[in-house]
Amino acid sequence: MKSIELLAPGPMMPLVMEKLGEAFTLHKLWEIADKDAFYREKGAAIRGLVVGGHVRIDEAFLKNVPNVEIISNFGVGYDSVDVKVAAAKGIIVTNTPDVLSEEVADTCLGLLLMTVRELPQSERWLRAGKWEGQGPYPLTHTTLRGSTVGIIGLGRIGKAIARRLEAFDVKIEYHNRRPVADCGYAYRASLKELAKSVDILVSVAPGGPETHHMIDAGVFEALGPKGIFINIGRGSAVDEPAMVEALKKGTIRSAGLDVFEFEPKVPAELIAMENVVLLPHVGSGTHHTRNLMGQLLVDNMTGWFSGKGPKTPVGETPWPKA
Ligand code: NAP
């Protein structure tokens, strides 16, 4: 397969670069100074893209590489790829589902507990010498005891989160575009309805135009002044200025966030707040899980070019061919 040329717009983890570099001819766009000259000379020869959200893969990008057959995305979320344009051109898009679900669910439960029980704040209290100086950290008003948790996006990761929450003996409700078959949790047909009915709202919703800013001021209003918002899905699903406003004004009580709208930029107002817990998008961030994701990306690419087909094509992709 060495004669097959691939392009990576941005750096990927070593496992991906090494394995694809051994099997294929892999070009590293970020190391190329004159990109126009590269596209003129090599653009038509590129048959696969290896992407990880560094660059938006849209009509304009694909014009430079007109013979691409497959876009292999690192991560289950593929909102940086214009899948409609790719599908119209007959290009396969793959992602890395399932292998990260349990890890992300673990992180979500950690973030949820940190936020509900104010664990980072109480740790800061100890480190600042306040335990000895001023006394115990104040009791938290919030608790999981007797709580209802609402999940936006009861998919692969959402179900793994719900499974863990069951062990915490809380009530679980959810919102998707459609109810999940054979599911014992209460379905809420609208986001506001879900927010109104729960104490803690957890978003695992994907990014992209359909979910853009769907968690807005009205949803925070419905969640209410005792409500807690957790986001482990995508930052773009939240109207971030509206969330900041809701946290500032006490429209909601607190938030735990692993994802942001313009990563790695996090609004200074959020960083200055005491009632938020902020993580730098570490949901799947272990060597174990990232290696599984990297291997799945490699398997998709080698599967395609050895004629076996893509292993995990995304729903919108033209596969199997009609
Ligand atoms: P999934 O299995 O496809 O689940 C997505 C869920 O969202 C589905 O239940 C879907 O149900 C629901 N949904 C989609 N569009 C919606 C909309 N417009 N309104 C309401 N619900 C909607 O995906 P997954 O594997 O669980 O991953 C979910 C997302 O988690 C990814 O897309 C990614 O952005 C994020 N993620 C974050 C991290 C991290 O490190 N923080 C790591 C991995 C993934 P319906 O189709 O019925 O609406």
Side-chain angles (χ1 to χ4, degrees):
M1 286 197 265
K2 229 15 194 175
S3 63
I4 296 169
E5 305 203 31
L6 308 180
L7 177 64
M12 307 291 290
M13 65 182 298
L15 180 148
V16 169
M17 298 308 291
E18 282 158 22
K19 291 200 173 180
L20 290 182
E22 273 165 29
F24 301 91
T25 298
L26 177 61
H27 300 280
K28 302 168 184 171
L29 189 62
W30 71 98
E31 288 181 354
I32 297 167
D34 188 344
K35 294 185 176 44
D36 290 336
F38 169 78
Y39 285 134
R40 273 195 306 277
E41 194 192 327
K42 281 281 170 202
I46 301 296
R47 293 175 62 190
L49 295 180
V50 190
V51 302
H54 314 85
V55 174
R56 179 141 181 82
I57 308 297
D58 54 10
E59 182 92 57
F61 189 97
L62 291 170
K63 269 197 184 126
N64 298 316
V65 283
N67 297 317
V68 159
E69 298 162 36
I70 179 166
I71 302 168
S72 247
N73 182 72
F74 184 82
V76 69
Y78 48 94
D79 39 309
S80 61
V81 178
D82 189 331
V83 276
K84 276 199 185 138
V85 165
K89 292 178 185 294
I91 300 171
I92 301 292
V93 179
T94 65
N95 64 345
T96 61
D98 296 315
V99 293
L100 45 58
S101 298
E102 302 300 322
E103 196 82 73
V104 179
D106 288 350
T107 311
C108 181
L109 262 292
L111 179 59
L112 190 150
L113 288 173
M114 284 164 84
T115 311
V116 172
R117 293 301 326 281
E118 301 177 11
L119 300 179
Q121 294 89 330
S122 62
E123 202 220 20
R124 288 199 288 275
W125 181 273
L126 180 152
R127 285 180 189 272
K130 291 184 183 173
W131 190 11
E132 216 182 328
Q134 297 180 31
Y137 184 77
L139 305 182
T140 66
H141 290 279
T142 44
T143 173
L144 273 184
R145 298 305 95 231
S147 290
T148 301
V149 179
I151 298 176
I152 308 169
L154 193 72
R156 289 169 293 236
I157 299 172
K159 285 177 187 160
I161 293 169
R163 241 187 17 254
R164 284 160 175 72
L165 282 170
E166 282 187 22
F168 285 84
D169 200 21
V170 294
K171 227 175 116 198
I172 300 167
E173 303 187 355
Y174 74 102
H175 167 72
N176 280 1
R177 285 166 299 183
R178 290 166 291 274
V180 174
D182 299 324
C183 174
Y185 312 134
Y187 173 69
R188 302 289 174 195
S190 86
L191 264 179
K192 275 194 198 154
E193 209 186 309
L194 180 71
K196 216 175 172 55
S197 156
V198 303
D199 306 289
I200 301 161
L201 188 63
V202 178
S203 178
V204 211
E210 237 199 277
T211 59
H212 185 257
H213 283 199
M214 72 176 182
I215 303 163
D216 60 9
V219 174
F220 293 122
E221 195 77 43
L223 185 56
K226 291 182 181 164
I228 297 175
F229 176 61
I230 305 292
N231 193 4
I232 193 92
R234 272 288 184 271
S236 62
V238 179
D239 180 342
E240 209 163 66
M243 178 182 67
V244 169
E245 215 37 37
L247 285 160
K248 264 200 321 209
K249 287 189 173 155
T251 309
I252 62 170
R253 182 173 192 98
S254 56
L257 309 168
D258 183 48
V259 289
F260 302 88
E261 189 163 10
F262 302 109
E263 296 174 10
K265 289 198 190 314
V266 176
E269 280 175 298
L270 276 181
I271 291 176
M273 280 178 196
E274 261 302 298
N275 56 335
V276 293
V277 178
L278 307 172
L279 300 180
H281 201 147
V282 294
S284 65
T286 63
H287 287 290
H288 170 86
T289 292
R290 290 284 169 89
N291 282 340
L292 292 175
M293 293 162 63
Q295 188 58 51
L296 187 49
L297 183 157
V298 171
D299 291 347
N300 270 296
M301 199 61 99
T302 50
W304 176 253
F305 286 112
S306 60
K308 289 186 205 140
K311 206 166 172 186
T312 49
V314 304
E316 300 88 339
T317 221
W319 187 265
K321 287 205 183 297

